[in-house]
Amino acid sequence: MSENEKFEERKAKIVKSLTTMFDYLGLSASLRVEEKGTRIGVKISSEDAGRIIGRKGQTLESLQLLLNRIMFKDDEECPHIMLDIDGYAKGERGARSEADDESEEGGERRPRERRERRPRREEDGERTTKDQLEQQALDAAKEVKRWGEPVTLPEMNAHDRRIIHVTLKDDPELTTESMGEGAMKKVVISLKKED
């Protein structure tokens, strides 16, 4: 197999793997794969750039690590893959400098919601399961009925939001609504308004 054929094969696998990852995350992006010396560069363009980059670039870094592991598993000769979104990897975005990152080490900002309802497991990097999401919906529903105030759940992808909506759809006292823009939205659970 020629070098060009190898590159085309790797390129197809990179695009397929990244597209699948973005689909699972509820994100959309266009990809351009090119050879960069001894490495492969992937330029990502997306309206969800902020979510793909993540806080201090952690999401982009994690995607890059995961993609490299997927590629190296089947092809030990595969060059290192570098992900870049809208010039972020080169520092062209100007949104955040290294000095800003170092000064931010203090603590994380809490979400604006009155109370965070996300299961603890997510902090450990585990994916939220259907059972956890259903329990989260039921707990929030109980809180809404008890206090009469709406509860806003953290941003989640369409798949997870659907689980919340389906879990509570037969409750005659409650209504659920997705709020926000883009792929990641919050679910607001509130009492039904009487006519």
Side-chain angles (χ1 to χ4, degrees), residues 130-146:
K130 182 178 181 207
D131 291 340
Q132 288 172 318
L133 287 165
E134 287 172 348
Q135 189 59 54
Q136 184 177 11
L138 295 171
D139 290 346
K142 200 181 296 181
E143 190 175 318
V144 170
K145 288 178 185 178
R146 182 172 184 186

Side-chain angles (χ1 to χ4, degrees), residues 6-163:
K6 272 187 190 175
F7 175 71
E8 290 301 319
E9 189 177 295
R10 287 172 180 155
K11 179 179 173 180
K13 186 171 181 181
I14 288 168
V15 169
K16 182 180 178 189
S17 298
L18 268 178
T19 303
T20 302
M21 285 189 237
F22 288 147
D23 285 345
Y24 277 119
L25 295 169
L27 303 169
S28 61
S30 62
L31 308 169
R32 194 172 84 223
V33 182
E34 51 194 38
E35 285 183 290
K36 293 197 168 202
T38 59
R39 298 181 175 189
I40 295 177
V42 180
K43 291 193 183 261
I44 304 168
S45 296
S46 174
E47 291 180 10
D48 299 314
R51 297 195 190 290
I52 294 171
I53 293 167
R55 188 162 192 260
K56 297 185 180 180
Q58 289 174 337
T59 305
L60 186 64
E61 197 175 299
S62 296
L63 287 169
Q64 181 174 293
L65 176 69
L66 189 57
L67 181 63
N68 275 291
R69 287 193 176 171
I70 289 168
M71 295 300 292
F72 291 147
K73 182 181 175 199
D74 295 329
D75 180 5
E76 292 181 11
E77 295 177 10
C78 182
H80 186 73
I81 300 162
M82 300 291 294
L83 299 183
D84 183 25
I85 182 158
D86 298 334
Y88 180 84
K90 295 176 190 164
E92 294 169 5
R93 288 182 63 118
R96 187 184 284 143
S97 70
E98 287 179 31
D100 292 339
D101 286 350
E102 289 172 12
S103 67
E104 235 179 66
E105 280 183 28
E108 292 186 24
R109 289 183 302 177
R110 302 294 297 170
R112 288 186 199 163
E113 286 85 80
R114 191 167 45 93
R115 181 176 292 176
E116 187 168 336
R117 306 293 306 172
R118 191 172 303 230
R120 289 190 183 272
R121 282 187 169 186
E122 276 200 4
E123 294 170 9
D124 300 332
E126 293 182 30
R127 189 171 175 182
T128 307
T129 65
K130 182 178 181 207
D131 291 340
Q132 288 172 318
L133 287 165
E134 287 172 348
Q135 189 59 54
Q136 184 177 11
L138 295 171
D139 290 346
K142 200 181 296 181
E143 190 175 318
V144 170
K145 288 178 185 178
R146 182 172 184 186
W147 302 109
E149 295 291 322
V151 170
T152 303
L153 300 179
E155 290 182 335
M156 54 185 83
N157 62 36
H159 175 267
D160 291 355
R161 288 195 312 272
R162 185 174 192 286
I163 292 171

Side-chain angles (χ1 to χ4, degrees), residues 164-178:
I164 302 291
H165 292 301
V166 169
T167 302
L168 300 177
K169 75 177 169 73
D170 294 328
D171 191 314
E173 298 177 57
L174 299 175
T175 181
T176 59
E177 182 181 6
S178 293

